[in-house]
Amino acid sequence: AAGGWMAGLTATAIMGQAALAAVLTGIQMAMAKKPKAKTRDEITLNRIQPVTTGRILYGERMLGGSIVARATTEAGGKPHRRYHSVMPLACHEIDGAVEIWLGETLVWTEAQYRRDEAAGSGDPYHWGQVGSDYRGRVRLRVHNGGEDQAAEARYVAAAREWTEAHRLRGVAYVYFEADYDRDLFPSGAPQIRVRCRGKRVYDPRDGQVKYSTNPALCLRDYMLTPQLRGGPGWRPGDLDEDTILALANLAEEQVPLASGRTEDRYAFNGVLETEAPAAANLNDLSSSWGGWWTCERGRLTVGGAAWEEPAFTVTEDMLVGGIQVTARKPFEEQFNTVKAQYADPENEHVVTDLPVLDSATYIAADNGEPLVLDMGELPGETGFARGQRLMKLALLKGRRQKQVTLPCSLAAWPVRLGDNIRVSLPRRGWTAKTFEVTGRTVHIGEDGVRVTLSCIETGPAIFDWRTSEEMPKPAGGVPTLPSPTAKPVVSAPTMTEELYETRGGGGVKTRVRLSATTDNPFVDAWQFAWRPVAEADPTLRPLTDSPEDQIEDVAPGPYVFGARARNGRGMWSDWAWSGATAVQGINAAPGAITGLSVQASGGAVAMLRWDRHPSLDVRQGGRIEFRHAGALSGASWQSSTGIGKAVSGDVTEATLPLKTGTYLARPHDAMGIPGPVTSVALRAASIIPTTTVATVTEAPNFAGAAEGCSAADSALSLDPGQTRARYACAGRIDLGRVQAVRLVSAVDVLIGEGDDLFWGPEAAPMWRPPDALAWRGTTDAYGDLDLQVSVTDDDPSGDPDWGPWQSFDAADFSGRAFRFRAILTVENADYTITVTGLTVTALQAA
């Protein structure tokens, strides 16, 4: 039908078709309705359709198809346990299959098939299968569609409705067979996609029939394909072989790429639908070289793929009437930006955007307004750089502005549609100006024969291309999403823990939160599991619809946690297990105090404030302890002494004696486990002037009476094996009469290991305090120094009546004389406390 329609075109219709073919490669082709069934989703879709139209594949593409036959048969003694299907790929013989995918899983490759075939072992229906969940569990065979192919033997043997007569000669198809497996096929048979090399075509240049992506040879083959096989059914004499072979040679020219490689100038890797009009399929083919096709003088001719020097010149003496000139196209037909897509062969021929092409020069000429031409998917284009060349060709052809209609005498008869001509009209200022002929009409009248040429300006610059114009391909390509039928893959769960208080008053318990991840968007259910490391069987948790779960009342100890996920089709992932993970629970050290600040008040009090502690076992049954060091920086818990009393862990402020130096705060939970130390420095100040009336300084000699401790090398230390000692200060304060004073202590200590870390007891250290202190400090050691005072109103030189011993840091007292002592304590005999500074200052208001 298509052949008869084309053969019967009138001269006027020929002209119309020629004009149409010319503009379709520029503006109108992109604006026209997109060809049917050319996108990836359409040509890879599986349908249940016993009667379907055929399609013709040239080059290489990923294909699905209509399942024209299917059946279930007996397997393992049970009926309807084995599934069979037949899916045609093309209505002709193909060069071969490259890959087969089930859903989004690659299951078969031609390379693996060749290796298995050469080995000759195993089930031939398993040959070619690669590593996946489907390997060895399905049977596949691609029939290339030869005229002598036999019916599929396994289908014939299994199903009565498929017989030896069902050979499908001249039809390429894939046979699929699988036994019922709920885990492998939770939602029935998967989508089948086959990457194929298409039809072999005849090349008149060497007389061979071979696989080719040359668009000229594909066009020639399509036009000569019989109508019974879906083609127009033309004869070789209906084609302009010269122009077709010239295009074939041009298409195989090698164009350099930015990568240093080369590629064919033009290629076609696409599908033609037998149900589409022949003109639509020719438009798809001609888009691959950015040119045109037309019927000229009874034969199909092609062109527009490269610059051709004009062979004919129209001069003023050939004109038989006035010419018509259009200086510029209408604004609505203009564009200065081009968008297009191509089928990326590196990503399963997914339709992918090409880089947008725009021209600052053209945008400026259009008053700064971007005018976009969206060409959509370039039919049959799979080259990233080649697609960019076609976009530039479309842009430059679309920007041709000047058009002219030339009424000529019979002298213009040799001019053909699509020819480039020169026009020399001195009155217009045109000297050998080049135009492309887009229309040609012949009128025979009383005044003779008139040949009217419709032309548009052109030039060789339209076909210019430089490697520097090629834009790079984005890194990463197109992401491949998991298939709804693929088994999900999940991460091992991560664990976080927190303490909580039960409503029934059961005390503080531990709650564990589990979280897992997956990149599969089709997951709709999760399940978690846990077990102590010492146990073999896990405890399964109920299903959840989110990748998180919460387990209450978990005892401290090592555990293993697991997670799995189910997709929307009911397929479960494998269990993913964590390594041994410790749940600390109430055994975990509490966190540090945050927001600690200090403020002097009344000249005698330091107000400490902090944030509410986040640990529940600190707030309930825990405490916060305080220490003080005279240094304003570098103080540590081991270089400080206790100050004030510990407060409950649920409070957020404390009142302590005011002293210059660093205040340190440390939380302890209900089990007594200490947390990190937080410190804040303060330089004590008072609005009441004071004066120093007396000072007692014990360091460095420490000449007082010592019990359980001794002085050496300018330091006072616990004797070995001692955990408590008392040192009575040698110095006292006698004010001469009873009066009020403020006593302020200053102590320098370091609490550390009892034995030197680098030297044994028998070795002499190579340093003296305070240098030695840097080698003996440890954050694990715990001890304190309690400085105490005893007061009397009597003359201390006689037989005074001394009052009780009182601990102090900075406090006001009334009396005549004051004596002092220090109580040194450590947690156990492995630790020691070393005092390098001990001073008491008595102050009075000035």
Side-chain angles (χ1 to χ4, degrees):
W5 168 70
M6 289 187 179
L9 289 173
T10 64
T12 303
I14 289 175
M15 264 332 295
Q17 178 60 43
L20 181 62
V23 297
L24 277 176
T25 59
I27 303 173
Q28 298 299 331
M29 181 185 71
M31 294 184 175
K33 187 179 295 185
K34 299 296 183 293
K36 185 178 180 181
K38 291 298 184 296
T39 65
R40 173 181 182 264
D41 289 339
E42 292 172 326
I43 67 175
T44 62
L45 188 64
N46 289 182
R47 298 182 178 89
I48 308 300
Q49 194 170 356
V51 179
T52 182
T53 57
R55 72 188 159 200
I56 302 172
L57 171 64
Y58 293 111
E60 182 176 303
R61 285 298 287 266
M62 188 77 75
L63 300 177
S66 298
I67 296 175
V68 297
R70 60 177 182 161
T72 57
T73 60
E74 179 183 295
K78 299 180 180 180
H80 307 298
R81 300 288 293 184
R82 181 164 294 166
Y83 174 79
H84 311 258
S85 68
V86 169
M87 185 180 75
L89 301 171
C91 62
H92 54 77
E93 184 175 3
I94 61 173
D95 188 58
V98 181
E99 297 172 346
I100 301 178
W101 295 68
L102 296 183
E104 298 298 324
T105 303
L106 177 65
V107 299
W108 184 98
T109 67
E110 181 184 35
Q112 184 61 45
Y113 182 86
R114 298 303 177 202
R115 289 191 289 268
D116 294 342
E117 183 182 38
S121 59
D123 187 347
Y125 287 84
H126 292 160
W127 290 354
Q129 295 187 27
V130 295
S132 73
D133 291 336
Y134 296 99
R135 185 173 185 178
R137 303 168 72 180
V138 300
R139 291 183 173 88
L140 295 164
R141 172 163 290 182
V142 176
H143 296 260
N144 288 348
E147 293 294 334
D148 60 346
Q149 72 182 9
E152 172 50 53
R154 284 191 64 88
Y155 201 4
V156 170
R160 291 177 299 175
E161 62 270 20
W162 201 259
T163 69
E164 295 285 355
H166 293 84
R167 299 173 59 180
L168 298 185
R169 289 176 293 180
V171 176
Y173 70 95
V174 59
Y175 170 74
F176 172 81
E177 177 187 314
D179 291 349
Y180 174 73
D181 189 322
R182 178 177 297 175
D183 291 333
L184 197 60
F185 309 108
S187 300
Q191 292 278 317
I192 303 174
R193 295 180 295 126
V194 183
R195 185 193 290 257
C196 302
R197 292 187 306 274
K199 192 176 184 182
R200 301 188 185 102
V201 299
Y202 176 73
D203 189 347
R205 297 172 297 177
D206 57 15
Q208 296 183 9
V209 176
K210 56 189 177 183
Y211 168 76
S212 176
T213 62
N214 190 310
L217 299 183
C218 295
L219 178 142
R220 183 184 184 279
D221 178 84
Y222 171 68
M223 294 305 297
L224 299 181
T225 297
Q227 294 182 11
L228 184 62
R229 292 294 185 183
W234 283 26
R235 297 166 298 175
D238 297 327
L239 307 179
D240 186 346
E241 289 277 18
D242 291 339
T243 61
I244 291 175
L245 295 182
L247 175 60
N249 292 329
L250 180 68
E252 293 177 358
E253 289 183 358
Q254 294 302 295
V255 177
L257 303 176
S259 64
R261 303 193 305 270
T262 62
E263 69 176 0
D264 291 345
R265 181 177 296 276
Y266 301 117
F268 185 82
N269 292 273
V271 169
L272 303 180
E273 297 291 342
T274 59
E275 64 178 341
N281 286 333
L282 287 172
N283 286 341
D284 284 355
L285 286 163
S286 63
S287 72
S288 65
W289 68 83
W292 47 264
W293 66 273
T294 189
C295 290
E296 168 65 16
R297 305 184 186 187
R299 294 194 300 170
L300 180 73
T301 186
V302 295
W307 171 252
E308 297 179 5
E309 284 294 331
F312 190 88
T313 301
V314 174
T315 58
E316 202 165 21
D317 58 353
M318 296 180 185
L319 300 179
V320 296
I323 67 173
Q324 297 178 1
V325 179
T326 303
R328 186 174 175 84
K329 292 180 179 180
F331 185 77
E332 57 270 15
E333 294 182 10
Q334 301 283 4
F335 59 89
N336 48 48
T337 302
V338 179
K339 296 170 61 178
Q341 298 173 313
Y342 79 115
D344 188 354
E346 296 179 6
N347 292 283
E348 305 170 38
H349 293 108
V350 173
V351 177
T352 306
D353 288 336
L354 287 162
V356 175
L357 174 65
D358 56 17
S359 167
T361 301
Y362 293 156
I363 292 175
D366 295 331
N367 298 320
E369 181 178 353
L371 304 174
V372 180
L373 166 67
D374 189 351
M375 301 177 70
E377 182 186 354
L378 299 175
E381 188 52 68
T382 59
F384 184 75
R386 188 164 48 234
Q388 296 179 62
R389 297 200 301 272
L390 291 175
M391 291 170 66
K392 182 184 177 185
L393 187 58
L395 176 63
L396 296 183
K397 284 189 174 184
R399 294 302 298 192
R400 296 182 297 181
Q401 302 293 332
K402 190 169 294 183
Q403 302 177 69
V404 62
T405 301
L406 303 171
C408 301
S409 65
L410 192 59
W413 179 261
V415 178
R416 299 158 51 95
L417 284 171
D419 282 353
N420 293 333
I421 64 172
R422 292 187 176 93
V423 179
S424 295
L425 300 176
R427 288 182 296 176
R428 287 274 178 181
W430 295 354
T431 301
K433 188 173 181 62
T434 56
F435 289 88
E436 180 183 18
V437 177
T438 60
R440 180 177 181 272
T441 60
V442 178
H443 177 75
I444 302 175
E446 295 179 356
D447 54 349
V449 179
R450 175 182 296 185
V451 179
T452 302
L453 304 178
S454 298
C455 308
I456 189 168
E457 65 178 341
T458 190
I462 291 175
F463 299 92
D464 285 348
W465 177 263
R466 295 179 297 276
T467 303
S468 59
E469 297 178 79
E470 179 184 334
M471 297 184 67
K473 192 172 184 180
V478 177
T480 301
L481 296 177
S483 167
T485 60
K487 177 188 291 187
V489 177
V490 303
S491 69
T494 58
M495 183 276 292
T496 58
E497 59 176 282
E498 64 179 3
L499 300 178
Y500 70 100
E501 183 181 15
T502 60
R503 292 183 178 180
V508 177
K509 296 183 180 296
T510 304
R511 173 188 294 132
V512 165
R513 297 183 185 273
L514 302 178
S515 177
T517 60
T518 181
D519 60 359
N520 192 313
F522 306 105
V523 165
D524 64 359
W526 292 81
Q527 187 174 35
F528 291 84
W530 62 279
R531 64 174 177 83
V533 170
E535 297 182 10
D537 297 326
T539 300
L540 299 182
R541 299 285 298 163
L543 298 185
T544 70
D545 57 1
S546 70
E548 296 180 349
D549 195 11
Q550 180 174 288
I551 308 173
E552 308 283 350
D553 194 12
V554 179
Y559 291 87
V560 174
F561 300 99
R564 66 172 182 166
R566 184 187 66 192
N567 64 15
R569 301 197 175 191
M571 181 175 289
W572 282 101
S573 70
D574 294 329
W575 280 100
W577 295 95
S578 69
T581 304
V583 175
Q584 298 289 339
I586 58 175
N587 293 333
I593 291 173
T594 60
L596 180 64
S597 64
V598 62
Q599 182 178 5
S601 177
V605 175
M607 296 292 298
L608 270 68
R609 293 183 175 88
W610 57 91
D611 299 333
R612 184 171 183 261
H613 200 279
S615 299
L616 183 61
D617 56 346
V618 171
R619 300 195 304 269
Q620 295 190 11
R623 68 186 188 280
I624 297 175
E625 292 185 351
F626 306 97
R627 293 174 81 98
H628 181 272
L632 288 170
S633 63
S636 67
W637 198 257
Q638 282 68 40
S639 64
S640 60
T641 59
I643 185 170
K645 293 183 178 181
V647 298
S648 172
D650 62 343
V651 304
T652 58
E653 62 180 30
T655 301
L656 300 176
L658 178 62
K659 296 174 67 176
T660 294
T662 301
Y663 289 88
L664 303 98
R666 189 177 199 180
H668 291 70
D669 63 17
M671 296 182 65
I673 300 173
V677 176
T678 305
S679 62
V680 61
L682 173 69
R683 190 180 298 277
S686 174
I687 62 175
I688 301 175
T690 60
T691 183
T692 301
V693 296
T695 301
V696 172
T697 302
E698 295 298 302
N701 296 325
F702 294 101
E707 299 179 19
C709 57
S710 57
D713 299 323
S714 302
L716 178 69
S717 302
L718 283 176
D719 293 336
Q722 298 295 316
T723 61
R724 181 180 176 87
R726 183 171 62 197
Y727 171 77
C729 296
R732 295 183 179 185
I733 295 176
D734 184 2
L735 300 178
R737 59 184 176 85
V738 176
Q739 53 186 299
V741 294
R742 172 171 295 172
L743 300 179
V744 179
S745 64
V747 180
D748 293 324
V749 302
L750 181 70
I751 304 157
E753 299 285 347
D755 294 328
D756 188 86
L757 299 179
F758 287 88
W759 304 91
E762 71 282 355
M766 301 296 291
W767 52 80
R768 294 291 183 266
D771 298 326
L773 303 184
W775 297 91
R776 300 176 65 182
T778 172
T779 58
D780 295 328
Y782 191 87
D784 200 3
L785 183 149
D786 181 21
L787 189 59
Q788 299 176 350
V789 61
S790 176
V791 183
T792 182
D793 293 340
D794 302 331
D795 183 353
S797 62
D799 187 17
D801 184 14
W802 291 100
W805 290 101
Q806 305 175 62
S807 299
F808 78 100
D809 291 289
D812 295 340
F813 295 91
S814 178
R816 172 178 173 174
F818 305 85
R819 63 178 179 175
F820 307 96
R821 72 178 184 182
I823 305 301
L824 287 67
T825 57
V826 291
E827 189 175 36
N828 59 60
D830 292 333
Y831 304 136
T832 189
I833 182 170
T834 302
V835 184
T836 58
L838 198 163
T839 301
V840 178
T841 303
L843 304 173
Q844 287 182 334

